[in-house]
Amino acid sequence: MSTIQQLKNFIRHGKQARAANFNEEPARKHDSAPQAPKSPVTTMPDSEPQLGQAPQVQPVNVYSEAPGDAQNRAAQAAHAAAHHVEPAQQVQNKTATKSKRVDESNLAKLIAEENASKSKFPRYPGLERWELVEKMGDGAFSNVYRAKDLQGDLGEVAIKVVRKYEMNNMQRSNILKEVQIMRQLDHPNIIKLVEFAESRQYYYIVLELAPGGELFHQIVRLTYFSEDLSRHVIVQVAKALEYLHEEKGVVHRDIKPENILFNPIPFVPSKVPKPKQPGDEDKVDEGEFIAGQGAGGIGQIKIADFGLSKIVWDNQTMTPCGTVGYTAPEIVKDERYSKSVDMWALGCVLYTLLCGFPPFYDESIEVLTEKVAKGQYTFLSPWWDEISKSAQDLISHLLTVDPEKRYTIREFLAHPWVQISGPTPMEEKKKPDFVLRAFDASKFEEAGKRYDFRSPGAVNLREVFDVGYAVHRQEEEGKRRQQFGVKGGQGKYLGGLNEEDEDEHHMEIDGQGGDQKPQHGTQSLEQSMRKTNIRDQEQARGRDRERANERGYGQHSAAITAAARQQVRDRNRQKGPFELNLGNATLLGKRGKKIPAMEA
Ligand SMILES: Nc1ncnc2c1ncn2[C@@H]1O[C@H](COP(=O)(O)OP(=O)(O)OP(=O)(O)O)[C@@H](O)[C@H]1O
């Protein structure tokens, strides 16, 4: 059996096993997002969180009150586990008799599932207004829940619960900056901030809900998108960037498929399914594209996660942020560099949507770093053969190494490929009628099995984006510093919200408040990669600093590589056993036998 086949089998096996674990999860609803009111900030009274409590062992007589109830079964199970007693022996009713036949391993599985699905949400002080319904995602210091408003008419929201107590001062202040930036934003393609509150141990960021979740999963599901669907998605991301760049003076700096969320729409099956391309065996039908609405169940796009974003100019005074009374050419250039990082990311996302694998990939992070830095990518045959030259032309203007030559958001939006609208109303008329199915969660969850967010291949795509973008951001900042002749720190003229982000003097290490000397090379990379273990990175940073000093300013790719490698290691460790790095097995494997990285 070939290595790729072995990997595929492994992934398939792993996916099945993990999908089975999700079968007991409550089905996701796909309601429309609530209207976000003005964003008050609330500080909750100090009270201890009830996190980490052992599940309560219920008295036996509680069980008979609601036989069959999931929580009750969980309680029975917890009781049984605590007392080494088979719960069926304790309960003299039909359910109990039935459960005698359940073998122990099944019971244990049931317990775990029930506990996971019902008792997993801690009661957070200050969040009483909301009923946590489902965990939708997580970050290094946070969990994101879908929640229902129990007291008002806000409907469903997403609540990001950030564990303050795990964060140092710099990380806390970055969260506050994120909220501060989000508070100023109001655009249909950007997740709105509904409310911000905090207790002693947590920040609560209440957000407009994007019920479809991450675009990332849809790439995994659909393998790649048609040009129409890709355009539908990328233009909305671009509209959000246009608003950020042109109206708000904000750069996002973390545009990637996992930060692009969406509202679902009804799936319209293809009347005439497209013939499968080589390597498309697993491709799911994306359905009919409806202009202005979308396809494949993907409707309105919403960008999220402003954790790395920053303000590059003040939209009140229309001046670069933090400067008073002058706007030197290099400041203008700096602003352009910052925005150009988002444009690079836009190119990476568009490339990935159209073909199903990222433009830059290599199993070796050293080589990946170099490919990103040099802009080495190709439109690989046969995967790109059917994709229009116009789309390729647009991508090549985005994946341009020189940020001054790279397309701006305006140039992007004026490109002919973007200007093409979907099928004209005339063409729409010619199509035979098709049945509009109501949105069906199973389309996204494949007959009740939710797509595994942590499949090795999926993680691999995340890593490629993370490493690629971070490397690129670092390169941009290197160029910027070279341009300004700045030797230490960066962006000192950027004030206000960006101060701490850019200020490397007060980096708290390991929660002990140790000060760091200003460093360049890896530091902004590390800051931009938030999911890092600062203590672990210290060693790498020390080595990187030495190397960077030896080689001189601007030649810091080894330092970037070491930090990027460390970041991937940390990330794998944090995400647990499912996040194995198995190379490009899933996403690239899905597109055929050859691996692009080996050909590029
Ligand atoms: N408004 C939302 N609607 C639906 N899902 C959301 C929303 N916000 C976040 N999520 C889910 O939670 C995940 C994590 O959210 P987010 O990226 O904002 O958190 P984070 O702590 O900043 O994560 P990271 O450390 O990866 O940046 C998202 O990728 C998404 O799956």
Side-chain angles (χ1 to χ4, degrees):
M1 205 189 299
S2 72
T3 316
I4 291 290
Q5 194 54 48
Q6 281 175 342
L7 292 173
K8 275 187 166 181
N9 288 346
F10 178 90
I11 290 158
R12 209 170 295 133
H13 177 76
K15 269 192 167 185
Q16 281 161 1
R18 292 188 293 280
N21 283 336
F22 277 115
N23 281 346
E24 293 281 318
E25 291 265 1
R28 292 175 67 162
K29 283 188 192 152
H30 298 273
D31 302 333
S32 58
Q35 284 295 317
K38 287 212 166 87
S39 324
V41 180
T42 318
T43 305
M44 301 302 167
D46 283 356
S47 54
E48 284 305 319
Q50 293 160 32
L51 253 185
Q53 279 182 346
Q56 291 293 311
V57 177
Q58 304 273 344
V60 173
N61 62 4
V62 171
Y63 302 157
S64 56
E65 284 177 19
D69 172 76
Q71 245 165 337
N72 209 21
R73 276 187 284 152
Q76 286 185 47
H79 179 86
H83 300 283
H84 305 286
V85 180
E86 174 67 41
Q89 293 167 7
Q90 304 277 331
V91 185
Q92 302 302 311
N93 62 21
K94 229 177 169 181
T95 312
T97 316
K98 214 174 172 186
S99 68
K100 270 186 185 165
R101 290 196 292 267
V102 178
D103 85 26
E104 245 175 50
S105 63
N106 275 347
L107 185 64
K109 196 172 153 236
L110 189 72
I111 296 165
E113 284 167 358
E114 299 286 14
N115 282 343
S117 67
K118 294 289 172 189
S119 322
K120 67 182 169 185
F121 306 136
R123 271 168 291 142
Y124 296 104
L127 274 195
E128 292 75 17
R129 173 181 176 166
W130 308 98
E131 180 196 345
L132 303 186
V133 178
E134 180 194 14
K135 184 170 159 186
M136 303 188 79
D138 53 27
F141 301 105
S142 65
N143 285 331
V144 180
Y145 299 96
R146 185 163 65 92
K148 269 189 207 152
D149 186 4
L150 295 173
Q151 289 167 19
D153 55 2
L154 289 176
E156 290 200 320
V157 293
I159 304 184
K160 185 158 150 179
V161 176
V162 185
R163 298 180 291 276
K164 259 174 160 177
Y165 55 88
E166 288 181 7
M167 304 171 101
N168 62 36
N169 288 340
M170 188 192 71
Q171 289 159 335
R172 286 184 190 193
S173 97
N174 282 339
I175 290 286
L176 298 176
K177 279 180 233 161
E178 177 180 350
V179 171
Q180 198 69 331
I181 288 176
M182 287 198 83
R183 188 178 290 159
Q184 300 170 31
L185 308 177
D186 181 11
H187 188 273
N189 300 119
I190 296 175
I191 290 287
K192 284 186 182 46
L193 178 71
V194 174
E195 190 181 59
F196 174 71
E198 65 176 305
S199 69
R200 191 156 59 85
Q201 308 234 18
Y202 298 98
Y203 293 122
Y204 305 119
I205 306 174
V206 183
L207 299 163
E208 171 190 7
L209 177 72
E214 299 176 15
L215 192 68
F216 174 82
H217 305 136
Q218 304 311 311
I219 305 174
V220 175
R221 183 176 70 95
L222 295 170
T223 312
Y224 62 94
F225 291 3
S226 67
E227 290 197 41
D228 279 337
L229 181 55
S230 301
R231 185 184 299 107
H232 167 80
V233 168
I234 209 74
V235 166
Q236 293 184 71
V237 177
K239 295 271 184 199
L241 287 182
E242 182 187 33
Y243 170 77
L244 293 173
H245 290 187
E246 306 288 316
E247 279 187 50
K248 292 290 164 183
V250 168
V251 287
H252 186 280
R253 305 208 299 175
D254 206 12
I255 293 292
K256 57 187 175 185
E258 61 193 291
N259 289 335
I260 302 173
L261 310 179
F262 69 99
N263 289 340
I265 53 163
F267 174 76
V268 181
S270 293
K271 190 75 189 165
V272 187
K274 264 180 60 181
K276 301 240 179 198
Q277 301 294 312
D280 279 3
E281 295 75 23
D282 297 338
K283 179 153 173 50
V284 175
D285 179 21
E286 157 184 312
E288 291 291 333
F289 178 77
I290 303 177
Q293 290 186 35
I298 302 169
Q300 191 174 30
I301 294 294
K302 304 265 178 185
I303 65 169
D305 194 357
F306 284 75
L308 286 185
S309 61
K310 66 175 189 175
I311 296 183
V312 286
W313 52 263
D314 183 335
N315 71 329
Q316 301 292 313
T317 61
M318 305 293 281
T319 55
C321 192
T323 58
V324 184
Y326 73 97
T327 308
E330 63 269 27
I331 303 291
V332 176
K333 277 188 180 147
D334 177 67
E335 187 190 317
R336 183 172 175 141
Y337 282 145
S338 300
K339 291 175 180 173
S340 72
V341 176
D342 282 343
M343 298 311 294
W344 177 272
L346 200 66
C348 290
V349 173
L350 179 56
Y351 183 109
T352 307
L353 294 180
L354 286 165
C355 70
F357 51 82
F360 305 98
Y361 179 74
D362 201 281
E363 287 187 12
S364 143
I365 292 175
E366 284 86 350
V367 179
L368 173 62
T369 304
E370 205 170 317
K371 283 184 175 173
V372 172
K374 292 182 177 167
Q376 285 174 344
Y377 71 95
T378 50
F379 296 115
L380 279 168
S381 180
W383 298 281
W384 279 87
D385 294 354
E386 303 294 315
I387 301 169
S388 71
K389 291 284 171 253
S390 183
Q392 297 182 20
D393 178 73
L394 176 57
I395 289 169
S396 64
H397 281 103
L398 295 168
L399 299 183
T400 296
V401 173
D402 184 347
E404 300 209 31
K405 295 197 179 121
R406 194 175 307 152
Y407 264 11
T408 63
I409 195 66
R410 283 195 183 157
E411 287 167 321
F412 174 90
L413 288 167
H415 190 275
W417 186 83
V418 170
Q419 292 292 319
I420 301 168
S421 47
T424 62
M426 205 55 181
E427 284 164 335
E428 282 294 314
K429 269 196 182 159
K430 274 191 237 153
K431 279 184 199 156
D433 286 346
F434 36 72
V435 193
L436 241 184
R437 280 202 232 140
F439 178 76
D440 176 2
S442 68
K443 282 282 153 207
F444 286 80
E445 296 173 9
E446 215 176 41
K449 291 176 186 174
R450 187 145 60 171
Y451 275 87
D452 181 9
F453 301 174
R454 295 181 174 186
S455 77
V459 169
N460 185 257
L461 181 66
R462 288 179 199 272
E463 284 170 1
V464 169
F465 268 87
D466 282 355
V467 172
Y469 291 177
V471 165
H472 198 76
R473 276 197 296 266
Q474 178 66 14
E475 287 293 318
E476 297 294 343
E477 290 184 8
K479 282 200 187 86
R480 191 174 66 187
R481 283 190 227 114
Q482 272 180 330
Q483 174 114 24
F484 299 162
V486 178
K487 291 281 176 185
Q490 77 247 17
K492 292 295 178 204
Y493 43 84
L494 298 173
L497 290 173
N498 297 319
E499 222 157 61
E500 277 211 37
D501 187 29
E502 306 292 335
D503 188 348
E504 295 159 353
H505 292 258
H506 303 292
M507 192 163 180
E508 199 179 26
I509 303 299
D510 200 20
Q512 290 161 21
D515 279 354
Q516 287 289 293
K517 292 243 159 67
Q519 300 148 8
H520 40 249
T522 61
Q523 270 209 339
S524 59
L525 172 67
E526 287 160 351
Q527 284 184 19
S528 71
M529 292 173 155
R530 288 158 301 152
K531 291 182 177 171
T532 50
N533 176 323
I534 289 173
R535 181 167 46 191
D536 283 359
Q537 284 209 334
E538 270 306 277
Q539 292 170 351
R541 203 183 294 148
R543 286 194 302 275
D544 299 341
R545 215 162 36 228
E546 281 165 26
R547 281 193 212 125
N549 287 341
E550 270 167 31
R551 292 172 193 199
Y553 202 68
Q555 296 182 355
H556 47 258
S557 75
I560 299 168
T561 300
R565 199 189 307 112
Q566 182 63 47
Q567 191 266 348
V568 171
R569 274 201 299 268
D570 289 340
R571 196 172 172 137
N572 281 340
R573 200 169 45 225
Q574 284 175 6
K575 288 285 182 178
F578 291 141
E579 291 209 352
L580 303 175
N581 184 354
L582 291 182
N584 45 9
T586 298
L587 284 170
L588 302 179
K590 268 180 129 174
R591 299 306 319 269
K593 292 167 201 76
K594 288 183 190 168
I595 299 169
M598 292 177 177
E599 297 190 342

